[in-house]
Amino acid sequence: MKNPKALTAISYFSFYTITLISSTSLQDDFINCLHENTNVDFPLVKTFFTPERNASMFNEVLASRAQNLRFATTSMPKPGFIFKPVHESHVQASIICSKKLGVHLCVRSGGHDYEGLSYVSRLETPFVLVDLSNLRQINVDIEDSTAWVQTGATIGELYYRIAQKSKIHGFPAGLISTVGIGGHITGGAYGSLLRKFGLAADNILDAKLVDANGKLLNKTSMGEDLFWAIRGGGGGSFGTILAWKIKLVPVPETVTVFNIIKKTLEEDTGFKIFSKWQRVADKLVEELHIRLLFRSTGNKTVTSKYTGQFLGEKGTLMEIMNKDFPELGLAEVDCIEMSWIDSIVFNAGFPTRSPIEVLLEPNSPFGKQYYKAKSDFAKEPIPALGLKGMFKRLVKVDASSILLTPYGGMMAKIPESETPFPHRNGTIFMIHYATSWTSEKDKSISKRMKWIRDMYSYMTPYVSSNPRQAYVNYRDLDLGKNMKNSKVNFIKAQKWGAKYFKNNFNRLVKIKTKVDPGNFFRHEQSIPVYPSMLHS
């Protein structure tokens, strides 16, 4: 017999809708099952969205955290319905019910997956979307230098809540304020503090996770292997993260930032400045982080922007720069002293001196874009001949960029096998290639896709090899992808898995096979199970 509470809920839901669906439909079976597996009520009109019952609300919720507009176009597959849990037990019930009803599940926290895999499945239909944006509670314990943060919170919200409690605590996560903390940390997660404190994943103390059986686990109950896997092994493979317990890091009351912009390549004759950056960026004091952005401006020129952050006062920074990197020409007038939280606002792309409340806004200054990106890791400086070819290709397509992030410091001290994220000692800098456009009907799309793949091919001699490494949070399906529950996934994944995880990939497969032998958590680049575990 059906649960009376579930039947009441369906009647309540139907009262607010125009189109009724048979009680035997997938949606209603899912709702019934949810109520049978949680004791915490949820208002259906605020948590359950279908295109049949309320198309405008469904589209609004789907688009709300779809950050790459490539995967929000009309031609992309859409979930049969969207569920927005308001309690952790609802996530447990969602997994139990998806498994019971045989429907594929996508789980989204911030929606920044580069290939849209947290909210679009091109592998199998029907699929449903569980959107975790309601689970965004943050509890900061300054005395203990820790915080619990739920998976649907953004990193902007996390930074803001830390700053409310302390001016001398921070956290080494990313730059874009709207990134969801849940998926962000599963891939490693880095920002301007990585040379001093490593990745966000290097500063995780505990986690709450729902496994493939709907069980709620913490660090102790999940065991050492699974806790290792979720801190850098990529999202959507081992379970659904509900919350992270993070270790706050000490930051000084005064942080100094700067931007040095070269409007044309001619301002850096013979690549003198860039070449010096390549030689010193990973060797400077670990309190100093200088990233470098090359951008094609559309008039056959390339701008260069050196963005620096120093954990200290500008006087000390000037001494370091004059000694180790005078070629940049940094002057004291270029340096802006501010608090750590203001540096977060600065690095997030907001205008200087914006109020820190901008970190709570639902959209970042960069907005949502149609884009394609790829990544690389450099082990040696790129020679002048290589740079000439790189810039020659960059000017060909406007709205395209190459971002270089320096490593060294703490990143060189943590062993490759400490977490699944293996890009550590020996890496000078990471490379992020990107190109964007403004409409799904843009006539330049094929040209842009060809450009970024050609650029990636051109850079082959100048980056890591055997394997050519890539960052899993900059997901790239060009590297390879799974087929629907295919036994060959493990074989094919050896190639792209090594790019993301190097020798850690085999341990990830072993753990995946142990904790999710039925491959419930899966997508186009999820960690596969050993072939012998698949029934089909």
Side-chain angles (χ1 to χ4, degrees):
M1 180 177 176
K2 296 281 187 184
N3 187 325
K5 183 168 63 174
L7 294 177
T8 301
I10 292 172
S11 300
Y12 171 72
F13 183 58
S14 300
F15 178 77
Y16 283 87
T17 59
I18 299 173
T19 306
L20 298 180
I21 297 179
S22 164
S23 61
T24 59
S25 70
L26 176 61
Q27 292 97 322
D28 290 332
D29 285 346
F30 197 88
I31 293 169
N32 279 329
C33 182
L34 287 176
H35 279 283
E36 289 168 357
N37 286 281
T38 178
N39 294 319
V40 181
D41 285 330
F42 47 91
L44 287 169
V45 290
K46 295 181 179 180
T47 60
F48 204 85
F49 306 91
T50 73
E52 297 89 355
R53 286 168 163 153
N54 191 329
S56 62
M57 278 299 296
F58 172 85
N59 291 330
E60 181 181 326
V61 173
L62 181 60
S64 64
R65 289 198 169 190
Q67 306 293 344
N68 189 342
L69 297 179
R70 279 174 63 205
F71 306 105
T73 61
T74 53
S75 62
M76 280 290 156
K78 303 294 187 291
F81 54 87
I82 303 169
F83 179 49
K84 294 183 69 175
V86 294
H87 189 267
E88 292 180 345
S89 67
H90 300 158
V91 181
Q92 294 177 263
S94 297
I95 290 170
I96 292 169
C97 296
S98 297
K99 200 170 185 179
K100 178 180 178 182
L101 298 173
V103 60
H104 183 53
L105 193 70
C106 289
V107 180
R108 179 174 74 180
S109 56
H112 280 267
D113 187 289
Y114 272 33
E115 298 282 6
L117 301 186
S118 61
Y119 52 95
V120 174
S121 174
R122 282 151 287 175
L123 272 183
E124 46 199 305
T125 54
F127 70 95
V128 300
L129 172 60
V130 174
D131 182 305
L132 301 176
S133 57
N134 285 331
L135 302 179
R136 59 200 314 148
Q137 186 174 351
I138 300 169
N139 295 313
V140 178
D141 184 343
I142 289 299
E143 288 188 10
D144 199 30
S145 293
T146 64
W148 272 105
V149 52
Q150 283 191 311
T151 187
T154 66
I155 58 174
E157 291 169 340
L158 172 61
Y159 295 147
Y160 180 85
R161 299 303 174 200
I162 294 170
Q164 280 186 312
K165 296 285 187 74
S166 171
K167 293 181 179 180
I168 56 171
H169 289 78
F171 187 66
L175 305 181
I176 308 301
S177 58
T178 54
V179 170
I181 199 75
H184 185 47
I185 294 177
T186 61
Y190 76 94
S192 294
L193 294 178
L194 90 162
R195 301 192 65 246
K196 179 67 175 178
F197 298 109
L199 308 172
D202 298 327
N203 293 274
I204 296 299
L205 301 172
D206 203 344
K208 291 182 181 179
L209 171 140
V210 182
D211 72 5
N213 297 313
K215 291 182 179 179
L216 181 59
L217 307 174
N218 61 15
K219 178 182 178 180
T220 301
S221 57
M222 75 177 71
E224 180 183 338
D225 280 347
L226 184 52
F227 186 64
W228 176 85
I230 61 176
R231 293 175 296 135
S237 289
F238 302 98
T240 296
I241 300 292
L242 294 184
W244 297 104
K245 184 179 184 182
I246 65 173
K247 178 176 68 175
L248 304 183
V249 300
V251 294
E253 289 192 10
T254 300
V255 172
T256 304
V257 300
F258 64 82
N259 272 325
I260 298 295
I261 299 174
K262 308 295 183 182
K263 294 183 179 180
T264 67
L265 291 175
E266 285 70 31
E267 291 186 43
D268 184 9
T269 306
F271 309 123
K272 181 181 178 182
I273 302 172
F274 179 28
S275 294
K276 182 63 176 289
W277 179 92
Q278 290 193 94
R279 295 197 303 274
V280 303
D282 66 314
K283 300 175 183 68
L284 296 167
V285 295
E286 59 189 24
E287 290 79 13
L288 177 56
H289 179 275
I290 306 174
R291 68 182 186 271
L292 174 53
L293 176 66
F294 295 110
R295 184 181 294 277
S296 174
T297 60
N299 56 355
K300 298 299 181 181
T301 62
V302 173
T303 61
S304 313
K305 182 166 75 169
Y306 293 81
T307 300
Q309 175 180 296
F310 176 65
L311 300 176
E313 298 177 350
K314 61 183 177 182
T316 308
L317 171 61
M318 287 304 303
E319 291 178 8
I320 294 169
M321 292 296 288
N322 287 334
K323 176 177 177 289
D324 296 328
F325 193 10
E327 292 83 356
L328 185 59
L330 183 70
E332 195 164 313
V333 69
D334 301 316
C335 302
I336 308 171
E337 291 183 338
M338 58 181 62
S339 65
W340 172 77
I341 192 63
D342 285 325
S343 77
I344 289 292
V345 173
F346 170 85
N347 281 311
F350 294 100
T352 305
R353 305 300 183 188
S354 294
I356 65 173
E357 284 73 22
V358 296
L359 296 173
L360 304 177
E361 293 179 2
N363 297 309
S364 81
F366 305 103
K368 296 181 179 181
Q369 299 176 322
Y370 300 82
Y371 67 88
K372 172 65 180 176
K374 301 173 83 68
S375 63
D376 262 323
F377 290 85
K379 305 286 189 178
E380 298 176 358
I382 303 169
L385 182 63
L387 296 179
K388 288 179 181 178
M390 183 179 83
F391 291 125
K392 179 181 178 181
R393 286 160 176 79
L394 182 56
V395 298
K396 288 183 178 180
V397 177
D398 65 341
S400 300
S401 63
I402 298 176
L403 174 66
L404 310 180
T405 299
Y407 272 43
M410 181 59 75
M411 292 300 291
K413 299 173 186 176
I414 299 172
E416 285 190 4
S417 59
E418 185 76 13
T419 71
F421 182 97
H423 319 292
R424 304 287 188 172
N425 189 31
T427 296
I428 299 178
F429 54 87
M430 179 168 62
I431 307 173
H432 176 274
Y433 315 92
T435 185
S436 63
W437 54 97
T438 58
S439 165
E440 65 177 292
K441 297 180 180 179
D442 195 311
K443 293 180 180 179
S444 70
I445 296 175
S446 59
K447 176 184 177 182
R448 293 182 181 281
M449 296 295 275
K450 182 178 186 300
W451 171 84
I452 196 168
R453 288 163 179 156
D454 287 349
M455 176 66 85
Y456 184 76
S457 177
Y458 169 79
M459 293 295 289
T460 303
Y462 309 114
V463 296
S464 61
S465 58
N466 299 314
R468 183 176 184 176
Q469 297 163 226
Y471 177 36
V472 71
N473 270 2
Y474 294 155
R475 197 179 296 284
D476 180 8
L477 292 184
D478 289 352
L479 303 181
K481 52 189 174 183
N482 295 326
M483 306 298 288
K484 182 179 177 181
N485 262 357
S486 169
K487 291 184 177 181
V488 301
N489 284 342
F490 171 73
I491 299 169
K492 291 188 174 182
Q494 295 280 330
K495 184 175 181 181
W496 59 257
K499 291 178 181 293
Y500 289 140
F501 308 113
K502 296 181 71 175
N503 292 333
N504 294 330
F505 177 68
N506 289 328
R507 184 179 175 190
L508 288 169
V509 172
K510 184 178 179 180
I511 296 168
K512 167 72 171 181
T513 304
K514 178 181 177 182
V515 303
D516 184 17
N519 199 29
F520 174 80
F521 294 107
R522 62 188 183 273
H523 54 69
E524 286 86 335
Q525 270 190 355
S526 57
I527 302 297
V529 299
Y530 286 124
S532 60
M533 300 305 298
L534 289 175
H535 300 293
S536 60

